[in-house]
Amino acid sequence: MRDLRREDILELLSLAEKIETGQIKPRMDGMLAALLFFEPSTRTFFSFETAVKRLGGATLTMAGTSGTSVSKGESMHDTLTTIDQYADLIVMRTTQEGAARYASEVLRAPVINAGDGANQHPTQAMLDLYSILKTQHTLEGLTVGLVGDLLLGRTVHSLAQALSDFKAKLIFASPSHLRMPDYIKEDLAEKGIEFMEVAQIEPYIPELDILYVTRIQRERFADPDDYEKVKNSYIITPEMLRGARPNFRVLHPLPRVNEIARGVDDTPYAYYFQQARNGVYTRQAIISKLLGLV
Ligand code: NCD
């Protein structure tokens, strides 16, 4: 996310809007996108597949490593270099942090990071920004609460950095040992972004434009008992949203476990499923830009 300048972000969001409204119809006919998902995925995988197919391209898919030579001991480097011989674009999700950046440096095809361990998830941040823009009609000067596992959740890292280009005021609510990493906070401080760290988000809800809720990242805990201690730290209920502003929206990258009560779905504030839909337009825009289709 750090590599994108404010004008790059705005250009991609404007492309996404033009794609959504049918003003432009980029085409990737005859092109192949490899979707390499070494970690589980529902929305990111399906929305990339939808995006590629809506652009008229085709997909080559690796979901998990069973059935591939990774299970025979092939290195990530050799697997990627091989797939680079076949595909025009590589979308990859890995448990290893920095794997997508490494791939982008050694491969011929453009590489999109679809999530690398607990590090970054930049295309999610782009669809989050697009969702914020659609619901708030601006990206400037918003107050955004980010709640949940801010240490191990990669979406909040990318989103906080993305919002730092738009003078956001950020409120971070997490269990004390799952706070936003220092390197992100240092970036925010450098850009003069106002942020605070709190234990509970409820008192701040009336001030928020956006509440971004995330799941505690169970699979990234070394000790399952530690997960048990924090798994119910945040549960957003309709009652908590009573004093919210009319423009207030709840976002979540999904999957949700229990951190947003189902009753919130029936309030005018819920936006997480539309947010998932926005992922298709945003990813169509990113792919179109990378492949020079626009
Ligand atoms: C997120 C992820 O994989 O980082 N999901 C997604 O891509 N929409 C969030 C999560 O798994 O908690």
Side-chain angles (χ1 to χ4, degrees):
M1 207 59 224
R2 252 180 139 184
D3 296 344
L4 290 180
R5 293 162 309 166
R6 183 189 149 92
E7 51 270 36
D8 300 321
I9 293 174
L10 292 173
E11 185 195 352
L12 286 170
L13 296 178
S14 148
L15 270 179
E17 192 199 349
K18 288 185 184 137
I19 289 170
E20 180 178 1
T21 56
Q23 287 173 64
I24 57 166
K25 296 187 193 315
R27 299 294 302 168
M28 60 180 287
D29 300 292
M31 290 180 149
L32 291 171
L35 308 182
L36 310 181
F37 279 68
F38 298 98
E39 261 193 359
S41 177
T42 299
R43 273 146 295 270
T44 307
F45 178 80
F46 278 105
S47 67
F48 265 113
E49 183 161 39
T50 306
V52 169
K53 290 183 172 166
R54 289 211 185 274
L55 290 169
T59 53
L60 305 169
T61 297
M62 183 191 281
T65 54
S66 69
T68 74
S69 288
V70 176
S71 64
K72 299 182 190 168
E74 186 171 50
S75 68
M76 174 74 89
H77 170 272
D78 289 1
T79 300
L80 290 172
T81 306
T82 304
I83 291 159
D84 195 30
Q85 312 305 312
Y86 310 140
D88 301 291
L89 171 73
I90 291 178
V91 179
M92 57 189 278
R93 167 171 288 192
T94 55
T95 45
Q96 291 115 298
E97 300 174 4
R101 177 174 295 279
Y102 168 75
S104 75
E105 284 163 5
V106 299
L107 303 183
R108 174 195 58 94
V111 175
I112 299 179
N113 181 5
D116 62 326
N119 186 31
Q120 290 273 327
H121 195 349
T123 66
Q124 178 72 41
M126 290 304 303
L127 79 89
D128 295 339
L129 287 186
Y130 189 59
S131 301
I132 294 172
L133 184 60
K134 273 175 77 175
T135 58
Q136 308 299 314
H137 311 294
T138 179
L139 290 175
E140 301 295 330
L142 298 171
T143 303
V144 180
L146 294 102
V147 180
D149 188 343
L150 305 184
L151 178 68
L152 304 171
R154 53 198 170 199
T155 64
V156 287
H157 304 160
S158 298
L159 181 59
Q161 285 179 319
L163 285 168
S164 73
D165 280 321
F166 301 94
K167 301 182 190 65
K169 182 178 166 204
L170 304 177
I171 301 177
F172 300 143
S174 69
S176 59
H177 52 284
L178 297 175
R179 290 207 179 123
M180 191 60 91
D182 287 341
Y183 80 94
I184 303 278
K185 289 190 278 192
E186 282 157 19
D187 276 2
L188 297 176
E190 228 168 76
K191 290 200 166 174
I193 296 300
E194 210 186 307
F195 64 87
M196 59 180 180
E197 295 183 284
V198 300
Q200 288 304 329
I201 197 67
E202 193 168 356
Y204 300 93
I205 286 176
E207 289 175 37
L208 299 179
D209 299 301
I210 294 288
L211 177 62
Y212 193 89
V213 186
T214 63
R215 151 184 95 82
I216 308 288
Q217 305 280 300
R218 179 167 52 108
E219 70 279 22
R220 303 196 202 286
F221 278 67
D223 181 347
D225 288 344
D226 289 342
Y227 172 73
E228 290 300 314
K229 284 181 208 144
V230 290
K231 69 177 186 188
N232 296 323
S233 302
Y234 300 98
I235 299 177
I236 307 299
T237 62
E239 295 70 39
M240 287 167 71
L241 308 182
R242 277 201 192 116
R245 294 176 173 176
N247 64 307
F248 171 79
R249 291 293 178 277
V250 180
L251 302 186
H252 191 311
L254 303 176
R256 105 175 114 181
V257 182
N258 63 349
E259 56 281 352
I260 300 180
R262 280 288 296 275
V264 175
D265 299 7
D266 303 325
T267 70
Y269 307 121
Y271 193 74
Y272 21 93
F273 290 108
Q274 293 98 316
Q275 181 187 354
R277 181 187 187 92
N278 290 336
V280 175
Y281 311 123
T282 318
R283 290 178 170 128
Q284 279 180 287
I286 295 167
I287 294 168
S288 300
K289 182 75 191 164
L290 276 176
L291 292 177
L293 312 177
V294 283

